[in-house]
């Protein structure tokens, strides 16, 4: 796979480059030395597959927040969903997402901060009717993306029993997006064994896939 980005670019406080089978960045904020960060790596493939299998259980309309390497997007496409909406903040990753989507039907790429883009998603021209999804997969980079806002922000865009999953930073059985003990949702976890190469964001031998279902109103 060819290098996607040839130069460093601003990614909020970080810089990011696309190299081979992983996304790597340089973080020099509040530090004199640059620390290499692996943002996404192919070892996450099994996680993406199991997460999107759950998200796509009902088929229909799927929302994906964060394109990354496109691993989860590929699995969503293979599920044969009706529509696939992707929100991606990073302009050059969004460009890659548009290239990926060029030969696919029913895919919409929206560039911008998910917190700003999500409230603009409406049905047709009726501005007060939020577009609703059968499944949601959430995997933006970094906690500064305000993961904890997801339960509140996604609620208006859920149908009854919408399936939701997210990349889970919790090293124990718990939701790093805060779905636990939320009366609007029910959550279970699937524990899987993982064996990632040494990296700066996940080195534990277990991963907990969150399986969230929107409770009927």
């Amino acid at each position: 796979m060819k290098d996607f980005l040839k130069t460093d670019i601003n990614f909020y406080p970080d810089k990011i480059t696309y190299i081979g089978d992983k996304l790597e960045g340089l973080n020099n904020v509040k530090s004199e030395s640059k620390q290499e960060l692996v943002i996404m790596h192919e070892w996450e493939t099994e996680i993406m597959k199991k997460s999107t299998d759950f998200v796509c259980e009902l088929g229909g309309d799927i929302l994906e927040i964060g394109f990354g390497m496109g691993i989860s997007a590929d699995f969503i496409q293979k599920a044969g969903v009706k529509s696939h909406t992707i929100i991606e903040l990073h302009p050059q990753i969004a460009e890659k997402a548009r290239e990926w989507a060029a030969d696919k039907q029913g895919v919409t790429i929206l560039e911008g901060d998910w917190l700003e883009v999500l409230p603009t998603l409406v049905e047709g021209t009726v501005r007060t009717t939020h577009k609703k999804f059968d499944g949601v997969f959430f995997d933006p980079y970094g906690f500064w993306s305000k993961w904890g806002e997801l339960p509140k922000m996604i609620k208006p865009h859920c149908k009854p029993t919408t399936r939701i999953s997210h990349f889970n930073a919790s090293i124990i059985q718990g939701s790093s997006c805060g779905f636990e003990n939320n009366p609007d949702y029910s959550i279970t976890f699937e524990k899987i064994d993982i064996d990632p190469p040494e990296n700066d964001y996940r080195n534990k031998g277990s991963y907990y896939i969150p399986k969230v279902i929107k409770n009927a109103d």
Side-chain angles (χ1 to χ4, degrees):
M1 184 184 296
K2 66 180 180 180
D3 290 359
F4 178 65
L5 304 180
K6 298 299 183 182
T7 59
D8 290 340
I9 52 180
N10 291 328
F11 187 58
Y12 277 58
D14 303 307
K15 294 181 178 180
I16 183 174
T17 54
Y18 185 87
I19 303 174
D21 66 354
K22 59 184 177 180
L23 294 175
E24 296 180 335
L26 297 175
N27 178 13
N28 57 5
V29 177
K30 298 181 181 179
S31 174
E32 295 181 359
S33 61
K34 293 182 178 180
Q35 178 184 6
E36 183 180 83
L37 299 175
V38 177
I39 296 170
M40 192 173 193
H41 196 280
E42 65 180 353
W43 70 264
E44 296 179 31
T45 298
E46 182 183 6
I47 291 171
M48 299 295 111
K49 175 65 166 61
K50 288 182 176 289
S51 298
T52 55
D53 280 351
F54 172 72
V55 165
C56 297
E57 275 186 350
L58 304 178
D61 302 303
I62 305 299
L63 173 65
E64 183 175 13
I65 300 174
F67 181 74
M69 289 170 56
I71 297 174
S72 53
D74 278 335
F75 286 128
I76 291 170
Q77 282 296 296
K78 290 176 182 177
V81 299
K82 177 182 175 182
S83 74
H84 184 183
T85 302
I86 300 172
I87 301 174
E88 172 55 52
L89 170 65
H90 196 289
Q92 289 177 279
I93 301 302
E95 179 184 341
K96 181 173 177 62
R98 287 189 288 268
E99 292 175 2
W100 169 87
D103 62 349
K104 298 173 177 63
Q105 298 294 319
V107 179
T108 301
I109 308 298
L110 300 173
E111 184 177 329
D113 188 325
W114 76 276
L115 291 165
E116 298 173 359
V117 174
L118 186 59
T120 71
L121 302 186
V122 296
E123 297 287 359
T125 59
V126 183
R127 301 295 300 176
T128 57
T129 305
H130 292 93
K131 182 173 177 60
K132 297 182 184 296
F133 298 92
D134 298 281
V136 178
F137 184 59
F138 181 84
D139 188 15
Y141 170 61
F143 279 115
W144 51 257
S145 297
K146 297 188 177 180
W147 292 14
E149 295 295 309
L150 183 61
K152 176 183 70 177
M153 293 292 290
I154 203 60
K155 182 181 175 182
H157 299 277
C158 288
K159 300 177 183 179
T161 69
T162 289
R163 270 54 171 164
I164 305 165
S165 192
H166 60 81
F167 184 83
N168 199 5
S170 177
I171 62 174
I172 60 174
Q173 183 170 298
S175 165
S176 54
C177 289
F179 281 102
E180 291 178 294
N181 302 316
N182 187 315
D184 293 320
Y185 304 95
S186 299
I187 185 169
T188 59
F189 298 91
E190 179 181 352
K191 181 181 178 182
I192 63 172
D193 295 328
I194 59 174
D195 185 23
E198 184 176 353
N199 62 80
D200 58 12
Y201 68 104
R202 191 72 183 202
N203 289 285
K204 297 294 182 181
S206 298
Y207 179 88
Y208 294 90
I209 296 174
K211 296 183 174 183
V212 181
I213 297 179
K214 171 67 173 64
N215 294 331
D217 294 328

